[in-house]
Amino acid sequence: MAYAIAHYFPGGTKEQYEASIAAVHPAGGKSLPKGQIFHAAGPSAGGWSIVAVHESKKSWEQFRDDILMPQMKTVIKGGFTSPPQETTFEVHNLQK
């Protein structure tokens, strides 16, 4: 079952997003990580939001544990400066 993750970065900016995605996605942020099937990001009230859908919860956890968190624990030059507010859910309906 597909699994969705929504991250909200209070005070986050486009520049911080661009630096962060370049550090955690293949090809400098130009392609999706293995297991991710959807990615959307943009400005939202008071910050920046990212929504990603993975093939499964396991796929999300592998990306989170093996790539995202290790990179976020280092200082990504120009990246987000604090952890996001996170919402996750199993996807009931995914349309492309």
Side-chain angles (χ1 to χ4, degrees):
M1 176 176 287
Y3 196 73
I5 303 89
H7 282 160
Y8 171 67
F9 293 88
T13 66
K14 178 181 177 184
E15 292 76 22
Q16 289 174 317
Y17 166 74
E18 294 292 342
S20 296
I21 194 169
V24 299
H25 275 217
K30 304 298 182 198
S31 62
L32 296 176
K34 181 180 178 185
Q36 189 172 333
I37 56 177
F38 177 82
H39 179 97
S44 55
W48 195 266
S49 292
I50 302 168
V51 177
V53 178
H54 281 258
E55 295 170 341
S56 65
K57 183 176 182 181
K58 181 178 180 182
S59 169
W60 157 245
E61 290 171 344
Q62 286 177 327
F63 172 72
R64 180 194 66 201
D65 297 345
D66 297 344
I67 297 170
L68 182 63
M69 292 313 297
Q71 284 292 334
M72 296 298 282
K73 286 180 182 177
T74 68
V75 176
I76 297 173
K77 185 176 180 181
F80 294 117
T81 58
S82 62
Q85 297 171 6
E86 181 177 280
T87 302
T88 61
F89 59 94
E90 291 183 349
V91 176
H92 168 74
N93 183 9
L94 177 64
Q95 298 180 7
K96 297 181 188 180

